[in-house]
Amino acid sequence: MPSGGKRVRSGPAKDPNSEKSRRLGYTLQSLPNTECRMKPPEWPLEPADDERVRKLEAEKWKWLWKLPQARAWHLPQFKWMIHELALYARLSTACEIAPAPTALTVPLRISDRVGMSAAGLQALGWKIEAEAERKPVDSEFTRRRAKELNQESAAERSPMDETKHVYQRRMSGNG
């Protein structure tokens, strides 16, 4: 029986922030953390027999194509995932209707392959951007207050401070 050898996802996951990743040029493609507004592709599978199941699959299909990953799924190199996504929608819908613990493993594996899990995102070289921090309110008051604070800090500094090196200011007791 053979042993050893390379296995899928064996060993530690690549760290995009490490020095080795920088040298190798390994980076993750950022996907905006917003709803994708592109039109979903046509349903690639045969329609289900049951009307209720068809409706649930359609809802799941629309939901999938609103995820941030949908921007990548629309790219030509990832068109192969469309069928996988339809299988995911069908199988996860089936699991919701008639839960079976063993049946849940297939949608979980598909979710890894198409980038719907953290491990799947990293395996595909994607990352979803962190939500943008709230920008401060831009108003006349905030602009005026910022100007006042800048003037106050400029008044506290002497003209001599700007010409001296930091070390010289510290040695003279002014920095």
Side-chain angles (χ1 to χ4, degrees):
M1 179 167 158
S3 65
K6 189 173 180 182
R7 305 279 193 273
V8 175
R9 296 189 192 154
S10 64
K14 290 181 181 178
D15 178 9
N17 300 320
S18 72
E19 179 64 26
K20 183 177 180 181
S21 293
R22 189 192 61 75
R23 279 194 318 264
L24 296 174
Y26 174 73
T27 58
L28 298 176
Q29 177 185 358
S30 288
L31 301 172
N33 192 3
T34 57
E35 183 178 295
C36 180
R37 298 187 186 271
M38 290 185 258
K39 183 182 176 191
E42 294 294 318
W43 178 256
L45 304 177
E46 288 292 320
D49 295 333
D50 185 6
E51 179 66 31
R52 179 175 162 239
V53 173
R54 271 197 307 269
K55 184 180 176 187
L56 290 171
E57 286 176 351
E59 287 174 8
K60 186 148 312 220
W61 187 246
K62 286 178 186 174
W63 172 78
L64 284 169
W65 289 96
K66 288 181 180 181
L67 295 174
Q69 295 91 317
R71 288 179 182 79
W73 297 331
H74 277 287
L75 297 173
Q77 64 266 33
F78 298 115
K79 289 287 185 192
W80 61 270
M81 289 186 182
I82 292 173
H83 191 265
E84 297 261 328
L85 288 162
L87 285 174
Y88 173 82
R90 175 156 287 167
L91 294 171
S92 61
T93 300
C95 288
E96 288 173 13
I97 293 170
T102 56
L104 286 172
T105 59
V106 177
L108 289 173
R109 287 180 187 232
I110 293 173
S111 71
D112 271 352
R113 285 197 304 256
V114 297
M116 290 178 51
S117 67
L121 284 167
Q122 189 164 7
L124 291 166
W126 303 340
K127 70 176 177 179
I128 297 175
E129 294 174 351
E131 289 194 36
E133 293 181 20
R134 294 185 69 168
K135 294 181 181 177
V137 176
D138 185 29
S139 68
E140 181 60 35
F141 171 77
T142 56
R143 285 191 294 273
R144 188 178 60 232
R145 184 67 182 135
K147 188 176 179 181
E148 289 170 2
L149 290 173
N150 284 338
Q151 288 173 347
E152 287 174 14
S153 65
E156 290 174 5
R157 291 190 307 258
S158 70
M160 197 65 175
D161 285 344
E162 294 185 20
T163 59
K164 287 184 179 179
H165 188 272
V166 173
Y167 180 73
Q168 292 171 332
R169 285 196 312 259
R170 287 186 183 151
M171 292 304 291
S172 66
N174 293 331

